[in-house]
Amino acid sequence: MSKSLRKKKRLGSFKFMSVLFSTTLSLFIVGLFGVIVIQAKTLTSIIRENIEVQVFLNKNITEADRAKIGKMLESQDYVLQKEDGAQLSYISADEAAKSFLEDTGEDFSKFLDDNPLRDSYVISIDEAFQTSEKMENIVGDIQKMDGVFEVTYMNDLVESINKNLLKVSIVLGAFILILVVTVIILINNTIRLALFSQRFLIRSMQLVGATRGFIRKPFLNRSFFFGSLAGILSSALLYGLIEYTKANIDGFALLQNNQLILMLFGGLIVLGAVLSFFSTLRAVNKYLNMSLDELY
């Protein structure tokens, strides 16, 4: 086999293990932070589902009017919808009195002839409508319904959640930006250092007449493969960590969002492949454009 053929065979075959390790570690850190963000989003959704509006009905309202109000509420866009239907529940005055007795231990029927509590509906509000302005509009619309006595909700809780979520979103966004930039720089520098040992081989191939595309192809193919492999390995590590945590921490499984986790794994594979590909392309082009003196 001629010297030229041996060089062709070696072209692009530099040591990728350090690149694979660094890329896998970088993607694992990105993925770990992504899992934290997904968990935080799921936890936020659970908290928001507990934001409820209580609709108190008029005294002595007829069964037909009560059912009519329930159907009107159930059909509204702002009522949270789940697989089992709209999140709306009816509490009669007797049930409210029983609950009051269990919570406080005080039986007001001993000194009151009439039950002062009212029939009511409790509705969970969809997350998209949980702003102070929209909540006020919802309360106003319900209040206009015939047979409705009063509408209440925890206004302070809604405002507090929205303010805190804004602060958390800004902090998380800043961390994500810093992390992504750091990972890009790390992967780029790792690949550039790995290619440093191949700079004279690249020059030799140029001298024997190889085109730029011919020289770049094996490097790019290997970098794309190892970048994808790094994404797969980091996803596997994250999956193992998630399963271990689920098995050892009670309630952790409730914060799981399988669809978002799968999207995260797919994103890590694509991110690893794309970053490795373009970092290699940039590094190879750099050495292709260098003079012999600059290579030394």
Side-chain angles (χ1 to χ4, degrees):
M1 183 180 292
S2 67
K3 184 178 180 180
S4 176
L5 290 176
R6 286 198 300 271
K7 286 182 179 179
K8 288 182 181 179
K9 184 177 180 180
R10 290 169 50 205
L11 189 62
S13 60
F14 61 94
K15 295 180 180 180
F16 264 96
M17 291 308 298
S18 61
V19 175
L20 178 63
F21 176 79
S22 298
T23 306
T24 300
L25 181 60
S26 300
L27 293 177
F28 176 78
I29 294 173
V30 172
L32 184 61
F33 195 79
V35 171
I36 294 174
V37 172
I38 291 173
Q39 303 286 15
K41 183 180 184 303
T42 306
L43 179 60
T44 300
S45 298
I46 294 174
I47 294 174
R48 284 185 174 276
E49 288 178 5
N50 292 322
I51 294 180
E52 299 174 333
V53 171
Q54 288 187 302
V55 182
F56 295 98
L57 307 181
N58 290 333
K59 285 283 189 176
N60 302 320
I61 189 173
T62 65
E63 185 66 23
D65 289 339
R66 183 194 67 76
K68 181 180 178 181
I69 293 173
K71 289 181 179 179
M72 291 175 63
L73 292 173
E74 192 173 17
S75 64
Q76 301 302 315
D77 294 336
Y78 50 75
V79 177
L80 179 65
Q81 301 288 334
K82 286 190 174 182
E83 295 180 357
D84 54 350
Q87 299 303 292
L88 178 147
S89 60
Y90 170 72
I91 302 175
S92 67
D94 293 336
E95 290 174 336
K98 182 179 179 181
S99 178
F100 179 84
L101 177 61
E102 292 176 352
D103 293 339
T104 64
E106 297 181 5
D107 187 2
F108 53 77
S109 63
K110 294 179 179 179
F111 50 88
L112 291 177
D113 295 332
D114 186 31
N115 183 356
L117 302 180
R118 296 174 180 270
D119 297 337
S120 64
Y121 282 103
V122 178
I123 57 176
S124 297
I125 303 299
D126 189 271
E127 189 173 339
F129 294 87
Q130 292 183 16
T131 63
S132 298
E133 182 179 353
K134 290 182 178 180
M135 291 293 290
E136 290 297 330
N137 292 335
I138 291 172
V139 170
D141 291 341
I142 298 176
Q143 193 73 59
K144 295 176 183 177
M145 295 181 182
D146 293 334
V148 174
F149 173 75
E150 185 182 14
V151 182
T152 63
Y153 75 101
M154 298 181 67
N155 182 43
D156 293 340
L157 177 61
V158 174
E159 292 183 355
S160 176
I161 289 176
N162 290 332
K163 288 180 180 179
N164 290 331
L165 283 178
L166 178 61
K167 295 178 182 178
V168 171
S169 298
I170 293 174
V171 173
L172 288 179
F175 271 116
I176 290 173
L177 181 60
I178 294 172
L179 185 61
V180 170
V181 172
T182 303
V183 166
I184 291 175
I185 294 174
L186 177 62
I187 293 176
N188 182 71
N189 289 340
T190 302
I191 291 178
R192 187 174 64 179
L193 289 174
L195 280 169
F196 183 76
S197 63
Q198 297 288 297
R199 65 193 188 282
F200 291 114
L201 177 59
I202 292 174
R203 170 60 64 182
S204 298
M205 295 302 298
Q206 282 184 301
L207 293 176
V208 298
T211 63
R212 296 168 69 93
F214 178 84
I215 296 173
R216 282 194 296 251
K217 184 177 179 180
F219 289 104
L220 296 179
N221 287 342
R222 286 175 65 83
S223 67
F224 187 86
F225 170 76
F226 278 96
S228 301
L229 180 60
I232 294 173
L233 291 176
S234 61
S235 298
L237 290 173
L238 281 173
Y239 178 78
L241 180 62
I242 291 172
E243 291 300 312
Y244 176 81
T245 308
K246 285 168 62 177
N248 290 275
I249 299 179
D250 294 335
F252 187 82
L254 298 176
L255 300 178
Q256 291 300 107
N257 187 317
N258 293 329
Q259 183 178 1
L260 291 179
I261 291 295
L262 289 176
M263 290 176 63
L264 175 64
F265 290 165
L268 290 177
I269 296 172
V270 173
L271 182 63
V274 171
L275 286 181
S276 296
F277 181 89
F278 283 103
S279 295
T280 301
L281 178 63
R282 183 173 178 273
V284 173
N285 284 338
K286 176 184 177 181
Y287 292 124
L288 284 173
N289 295 326
M290 278 185 173
S291 65
L292 187 59
D293 291 337
E294 290 174 327
L295 289 176
Y296 282 101

